[in-house]
């Protein structure tokens, strides 16, 4: 997978991380929302197939996000225990979706390669 988007979103990531660290003892998830949105927008525009992955796994994303939100006051270990299964479901969905995307790409490349031979 091409990870060249990292450089494209480096400034957004740096601003988001800086905000989180600066507000770690406060309500950083709300305080840093603008920086998080900017990072998400950059990723959406820069990461290959991210929109397709989000669309394919929307149910798993929503369930996992809901679990994280409803357990945000718990210790990390407790959140992992309560939401770990949902994270695993999301991971499996993203792996399936990416395999389908790559298969379509390989099929498209094979077709365009055979067209050149004709």
């Amino acid at each position: 997978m091409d990870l060249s988007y990292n450089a494209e979103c480096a400034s957004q990531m740096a601003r988001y991380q800086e905000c989180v660290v600066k507000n770690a003892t406060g309500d950083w998830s709300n305080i840093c929302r603008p920086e998080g949105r900017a990072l998400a927008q950059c990723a959406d525009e820069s990461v290959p197939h991210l929109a397709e992955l989000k669309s394919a796994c929307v149910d798993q994303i929503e369930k996992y996000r809901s679990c994280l939100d409803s357990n945000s006051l718990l210790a990390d270990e407790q959140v992992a225990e309560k939401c770990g299964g949902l994270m695993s479901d999301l991971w499996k969905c993203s792996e399936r979706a990416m395999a389908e995307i790559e298969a379509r790409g390989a099929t498209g490349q094979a077709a365009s390669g055979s067209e050149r031979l004709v």
Side-chain angles (χ1 to χ4, degrees):
M1 181 184 293
D2 178 18
L3 298 178
S4 60
Y5 64 88
N6 285 336
E8 294 179 35
C9 299
S11 64
Q12 291 88 344
M13 175 63 87
R15 283 192 290 275
Y16 180 68
Q17 288 176 329
E18 182 180 303
C19 182
V20 170
V21 169
K22 180 180 172 185
N23 297 289
T25 60
D27 187 13
W28 65 267
S29 63
N30 284 318
I31 296 168
C32 301
R33 191 160 293 177
E35 291 84 354
R37 285 189 183 135
L39 177 58
Q41 180 179 350
C42 181
D44 286 345
E45 294 169 357
S46 303
V47 177
H49 309 297
L50 184 59
E52 289 177 87
L53 287 169
K54 284 181 172 181
S55 177
C57 301
V58 67
D59 291 338
Q60 291 83 354
I61 291 169
E62 289 176 1
K63 288 176 185 174
Y64 182 60
R65 184 175 293 149
S66 176
C67 185
L68 293 177
D69 289 345
S70 64
N71 294 291
S72 64
L73 299 177
L74 298 178
D76 289 347
E77 296 80 20
Q78 292 172 305
V79 173
E81 184 179 314
K82 290 185 179 284
C83 303
L86 294 171
M87 185 175 80
S88 178
D89 292 345
L90 175 54
W91 176 259
K92 289 173 187 172
C93 180
S94 66
E95 288 291 306
R96 278 191 308 271
M98 197 62 208
E100 291 173 11
I101 290 166
E102 288 173 349
R104 281 197 317 262
T107 303
Q109 289 172 356
S112 51
S114 63
E115 290 169 358
R116 288 185 210 136
L117 296 175
V118 174

